[in-house]
């Protein structure tokens, strides 16, 4: 029986679907099995499982496979990239290769001649094979192979090219494809930043995934195309490719599978060339609800009560990259509606919120936070969000807005919730104004969450646990063993730790008298304050994150 007959017999494919696949095969010239997958009638894995049964070929799960590095060296990278065949095992004169195409007999014959070994195909989805190739042979190796072999592309040492040469190189189809692969790989790995770093004899590409930099596997020859790659990025970001002596900033906007991606690009001259950092902003993945951010019921209840108030200032504090803006967007999203006029002043506007009027700060034309805030108060807003309180003028404008009956959201750079009002006092805001307007301050951090695919429980050594982690003997914690799903880190995704201080009468009295921070913390505790570290230990005990993650981002 043919594969298609088996699919019909097993009920995996309806006769009408088979007719559609045959029509696509005739019109586009694709193979029938690929037409079935292309139309979405079956997944590639489902089809391969039927082929495996019919052709008596083994199926392999490459996401869980451990491959001997010596076996990987048995085929030249050029062959692996071109044929999409990966050696995964050798035994008794037989080399097992993973393939997604069981009918590529010519490729198997070529390998037999090349290695002098018998070839045993093993079936695996193309996506898993591609991921394995990127992991072990490097990102963009096939594109680089084309570029190295191209007769019309002259490669010179970095620094020796004219601007005309760079423009021509950057517009080569192979260079365009290579830069696209670098960005797409970052998106597939959920990276927030791409770092391209030049060194004397190599170029490094690193992705920031879940807040931690991880090195991308790239072929050594990518160093030869360093100038072309950077020039291509500068062209996309509307930068001057001839200027390589001063820093430049730019932006790129593009769509990937219906997702709108905004990329902020920074280029800085370094010793061995220009270094590039690209911040990836995925506009489809920023809008969370407050519960999705990781707030527990206690903190959520207090915070939700604050954002429903008609006026006052709510501050979200923490270092750069701790998720402050995302929290403010979630808060605005929770209250926005046809009965509220919501205005924001941001530098820059990172994401678009439906129903919210957003104003970008532009220092080149004198549009500052303070000037924008004063202007929007004449637009009759109910709720105002200021991207960041940076100076006394902005702080005074925010307090004035709150005093005149507006609810104001903003961010501040402080380490904890209790020091936020003291930071405003240091800026020059009078304590009585802070007591009259500030209704809550919330500090936050981001910690990595344990990968659900490789999560395992264990009994910790109580002697090695921090003394403030109240932990009973026999209790278990969780950790990630590491798998392909999480790039062998044991973590996938992040969640927030929160420390919310509601400004009660007692806290307000301490602020008015400029009391030391420990006294403000004590007063805040009586109003329901739970410290960042305490929230972290709760998430450790419920299996969300690990002790080391909490220790990394919180202080005693």
């Amino acid at each position: 029986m043919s594969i298609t007959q088996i699919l019909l017999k097993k009920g995996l494919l309806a006769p009408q679907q088979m007719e559609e696949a045959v029509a696509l095969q005739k019109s586009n010239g694709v193979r029938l099995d690929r037409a079935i997958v292309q139309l979405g009638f079956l997944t590639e894995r489902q089809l391969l499982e039927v082929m495996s049964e019919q052709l008596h070929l083994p199926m392999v799960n490459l996401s869980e496979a451990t491959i001997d590095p010596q076996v990987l060296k048995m085929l030249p990278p050029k062959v692996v990239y071109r044929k999409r065949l990966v050696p995964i095992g050798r035994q008794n004169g037989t080399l097992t290769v993973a393939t997604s195409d069981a009918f590529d007999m010519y490729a198997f014959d070529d390998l037999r001649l090349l290695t002098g070994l018998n070839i045993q195909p093993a079936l695996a989805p193309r996506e898993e094979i591609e991921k394995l190739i990127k992991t072990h042979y490097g990102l963009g190796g096939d594109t680089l192979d084309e570029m190295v072999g191209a007769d019309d592309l002259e490669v010179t040492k970095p620094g020796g090219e004219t601007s005309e040469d760079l423009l021509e190189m950057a517009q080569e189809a192979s260079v365009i494809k290579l830069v696209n692969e670098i960005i797409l790989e970052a998106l597939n790995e959920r990276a927030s930043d791409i770092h391209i770093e030049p060194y004397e004899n190599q170029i490094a590409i690193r992705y920031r995934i879940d807040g931690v930099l991880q090195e991308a596997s790239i072929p050594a020859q990518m160093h030869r195309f360093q100038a072309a790659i950077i020039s291509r990025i500068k062209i996309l970001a509307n930068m001057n490719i001839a200027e390589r002596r001063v820093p430049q900033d730019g932006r790129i906007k593009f769509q990937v599978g219906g997702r709108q991606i905004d990329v902020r690009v920074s280029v800085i001259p370094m010793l061995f060339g220009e270094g590039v950092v690209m911040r990836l902003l995925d506009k489809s993945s920023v809008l969370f609800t407050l519960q999705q951010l990781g707030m527990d019921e206690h903190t959520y209840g207090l915070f939700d009560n604050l954002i429903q108030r008609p006026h006052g200032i709510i501050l979200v504090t923490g270092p750069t990259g701790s998720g402050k803006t995302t929290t403010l967007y979630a808060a605005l999203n929770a209250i926005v509606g046809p009965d509220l006029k919501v205005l924001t002043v941001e530098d820059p506007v990172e994401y678009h919120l439906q129903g919210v009027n957003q104003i970008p700060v532009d220092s080149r034309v004198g549009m500052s936070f303070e000037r924008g805030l004063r202007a929007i108060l004449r637009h009759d807003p109910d709720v105002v969000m200021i991207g960041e309180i940076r100076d006394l003028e902005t702080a005074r404008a925010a307090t004035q807005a709150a005093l005149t009956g507006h609810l104001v959201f903003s961010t501040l750079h402080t380490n904890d919730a209790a020091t936020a009002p003291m930071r405003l006092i240091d800026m020059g805001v009078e304590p009585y104004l802070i007591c009259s307007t500030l209704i809550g301050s919330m500090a936050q951090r981001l910690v990595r969450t344990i990968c659900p695919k490789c999560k395992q429980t264990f009994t910790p050594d109580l002697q090695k646990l921090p003394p403030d982690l109240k932990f009973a003997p026999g209790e278990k914690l969780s950790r990630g063993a590491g798998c392909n799903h999480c790039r062998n880190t044991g973590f996938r995704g992040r969640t927030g730790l929160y420390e919310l201080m509601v400004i009660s009468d007692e806290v307000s009295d301490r602020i008015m008298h400029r009391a030391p921070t420990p006294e403000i913390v004590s007063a805040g505790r009586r109003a329901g304050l739970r410290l960042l570290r305490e929230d972290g230990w709760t998430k450790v005990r419920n299996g969300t994150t690990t002790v080391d993650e909490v220790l990394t981002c919180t202080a005693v």
Side-chain angles (χ1 to χ4, degrees), residues 69-235:
Q70 296 303 317
V71 172
L72 290 168
K73 294 177 181 178
M74 298 198 67
L75 292 182
K78 184 182 294 187
V79 173
V80 173
Y81 287 125
R82 289 181 177 175
K83 303 290 187 181
R84 288 301 188 263
L85 296 169
V86 184
I88 58 174
R90 177 183 177 177
Q91 189 174 16
N92 299 329
T94 298
L95 183 66
T96 303
V97 294
T99 180
S100 61
D101 187 356
F103 303 111
D104 193 0
M105 306 309 293
Y106 291 113
F108 303 146
D109 288 340
D110 289 344
L111 295 190
R112 196 173 293 112
L113 291 171
L114 180 67
T115 61
L117 301 170
N118 294 323
I119 302 300
Q120 170 62 58
L123 301 179
R126 185 179 178 89
E127 183 181 352
E128 289 185 13
I129 292 174
E130 295 280 3
K131 192 166 187 177
L132 194 68
I133 291 173
K134 287 176 183 175
T135 301
H136 294 288
Y137 294 92
L139 172 68
D142 50 346
T143 307
L144 287 170
D145 185 52
E146 293 173 13
M147 293 162 70
V148 171
D151 295 329
D152 58 345
L153 185 63
E154 182 182 354
V155 180
T156 61
K157 291 183 179 180
E161 311 88 341
T162 65
S163 59
E164 291 80 8
D165 293 333
L166 288 175
L167 182 61
E168 186 176 339
M169 291 171 66
Q171 291 175 339
E172 286 283 343
S174 297
V175 177
I176 294 171
K177 182 182 176 185
L178 184 58
V179 171
N180 289 346
E181 285 183 24
I182 291 170
I183 296 174
L184 285 172
E185 177 70 4
L187 290 171
N188 291 335
E189 295 292 342
R190 305 172 299 106
S192 60
D193 301 84
I194 304 171
H195 292 243
I196 301 177
E197 302 163 329
Y199 297 101
E200 185 173 10
N201 297 311
Q202 66 174 10
I203 184 171
I205 297 179
R206 297 194 288 173
Y207 298 139
R208 189 175 294 280
I209 302 170
D210 295 332
V212 178
L213 281 172
Q214 299 181 28
E215 196 156 0
S217 175
I218 58 173
Q221 63 263 39
M222 190 174 285
H223 173 65
R224 299 173 58 189
F225 304 95
Q226 170 184 317
I229 292 168
I230 292 171
S231 295
R232 172 61 186 168
I233 293 169
K234 290 167 76 174
I235 288 170

Side-chain angles (χ1 to χ4, degrees), residues 509-542:
D509 180 67
R510 296 292 187 277
I511 295 170
M512 178 67 78
H513 292 90
R514 301 176 186 247
T517 300
E519 287 188 27
I520 296 177
V521 171
S522 298
R525 278 189 170 283
R526 288 187 280 276
L529 170 66
R530 293 171 67 245
L531 300 181
L532 281 169
R533 200 164 171 103
E534 292 169 347
D535 190 27
W537 295 146
T538 300
K539 289 180 168 67
V540 167
R541 297 181 72 172
N542 66 22

Side-chain angles (χ1 to χ4, degrees), residues 300-375:
Y300 170 71
L302 292 174
F303 192 68
D304 187 57
N305 180 58
L306 290 178
I307 66 177
Q308 301 298 335
R309 294 196 189 181
H311 55 80
I313 298 175
I314 299 172
L315 294 176
V316 179
T317 77
T320 302
S322 59
K324 300 187 296 295
T325 304
T326 301
T327 298
L328 290 183
Y329 281 157
L332 290 179
N333 212 36
I335 62 174
V336 69
D339 57 334
L340 287 179
K341 172 84 168 183
V342 182
L343 284 160
T344 74
V345 186
E346 304 171 62
D347 182 21
V349 175
E350 293 185 5
Y351 302 101
H352 299 245
L353 287 174
Q354 188 67 31
V356 177
N357 300 275
Q358 297 171 275
I359 302 167
V361 166
D362 191 345
S363 57
R364 292 172 297 180
V365 295
M367 182 62 174
S368 62
F369 277 117
E370 185 264 342
R371 186 173 181 180
L373 181 54
R374 291 194 183 282

Side-chain angles (χ1 to χ4, degrees), residues 251-405:
R251 300 183 79 165
I252 307 170
K253 291 184 179 181
F254 58 89
Q255 285 194 330
V256 178
R259 297 157 60 193
Q260 190 174 356
I261 310 297
D262 195 2
V263 184
R264 287 192 234 155
V265 184
S266 174
V267 177
I268 298 179
M270 296 184 180
L271 186 60
F272 297 107
E274 291 175 294
V276 180
V277 173
M278 293 185 277
R279 165 67 57 89
L280 306 176
L281 302 171
D282 186 348
K283 298 191 175 182
S284 65
S285 65
V286 69
L287 288 182
F288 298 95
T289 64
L290 291 170
Q291 294 96 324
Q292 287 174 327
L293 295 177
M295 288 188 192
D296 59 35
E297 290 299 322
H298 172 77
T299 303
Y300 170 71
L302 292 174
F303 192 68
D304 187 57
N305 180 58
L306 290 178
I307 66 177
Q308 301 298 335
R309 294 196 189 181
H311 55 80
I313 298 175
I314 299 172
L315 294 176
V316 179
T317 77
T320 302
S322 59
K324 300 187 296 295
T325 304
T326 301
T327 298
L328 290 183
Y329 281 157
L332 290 179
N333 212 36
I335 62 174
V336 69
D339 57 334
L340 287 179
K341 172 84 168 183
V342 182
L343 284 160
T344 74
V345 186
E346 304 171 62
D347 182 21
V349 175
E350 293 185 5
Y351 302 101
H352 299 245
L353 287 174
Q354 188 67 31
V356 177
N357 300 275
Q358 297 171 275
I359 302 167
V361 166
D362 191 345
S363 57
R364 292 172 297 180
V365 295
M367 182 62 174
S368 62
F369 277 117
E370 185 264 342
R371 186 173 181 180
L373 181 54
R374 291 194 183 282
I376 65 176
L377 291 180
R378 296 191 288 272
H379 266 243
D380 186 31
D382 297 293
V383 180
V384 174
M385 186 189 101
I386 310 167
E388 183 184 344
I389 294 179
R390 296 176 177 174
D391 49 41
L392 176 59
E393 288 72 23
T394 308
R396 281 178 173 164
T399 55
Q400 190 62 40
L403 283 171
T404 53

